[in-house]
Amino acid sequence: MALSFKVEEMFNVELQRLFTVLNDVSSWVVFDRPRVLGTKNGQITLAFDDRTRAIISFELIDGSVNVRVVHELVPDLDGIKPRELYWREVFAGVHRRLEIV
């Protein structure tokens, strides 16, 4: 039975900029880059070489954007932690790229 998990992160940037960066996986500063399967209804669907899939959705909250990633089709519990770390790396790279401190 395949598993799924959810990770969320808040960003203090405009939704359009954040959507553009997360849709441009070639610009991500991580080793494993997924393929974009589609962008529909304000969501981005990604496919990974390991046959897992992720759906990224966005929610505006008080001028910030909450990004929610649901990563699906993970084969077992041991596969969740490395993928959670992966998304933390992706989020950290997006923060560095978009947020001026």
Side-chain angles (χ1 to χ4, degrees):
M1 175 175 76
L3 305 171
S4 65
F5 67 93
K6 175 178 68 173
V7 291
E8 296 188 35
E9 184 81 11
M10 291 294 291
F11 290 88
N12 295 314
V13 298
E14 299 84 15
L15 174 59
Q16 294 82 359
R17 288 180 63 211
L18 184 57
F19 187 92
T20 298
V21 168
L22 287 172
N23 192 42
D24 181 16
V25 296
S26 65
S27 71
W28 294 6
V29 188
V30 290
F31 177 70
D32 185 22
R33 293 188 187 113
R35 292 177 318 284
V36 176
L37 292 179
T39 55
K40 188 175 181 180
N41 300 324
Q43 295 183 334
I44 302 169
T45 304
L46 306 170
F48 290 83
D49 288 341
D50 64 2
R51 297 188 177 156
T52 63
R53 174 179 60 212
I55 300 167
I56 304 173
S57 59
F58 305 85
E59 179 183 11
L60 289 171
I61 301 174
D62 297 327
S64 296
V65 182
N66 184 54
V67 174
R68 177 177 297 119
V69 175
V70 177
H71 201 123
E72 304 175 328
L73 305 175
V74 179
D76 54 40
L77 284 173
D78 292 334
I80 291 176
K81 187 67 172 176
R83 288 173 179 89
E84 285 177 331
L85 292 172
Y86 171 84
W87 285 109
R88 295 293 166 212
E89 287 181 36
V90 170
F91 291 155
V94 173
H95 277 293
R96 284 189 303 272
R97 181 172 175 185
L98 295 179
E99 295 179 349
I100 300 172
V101 180

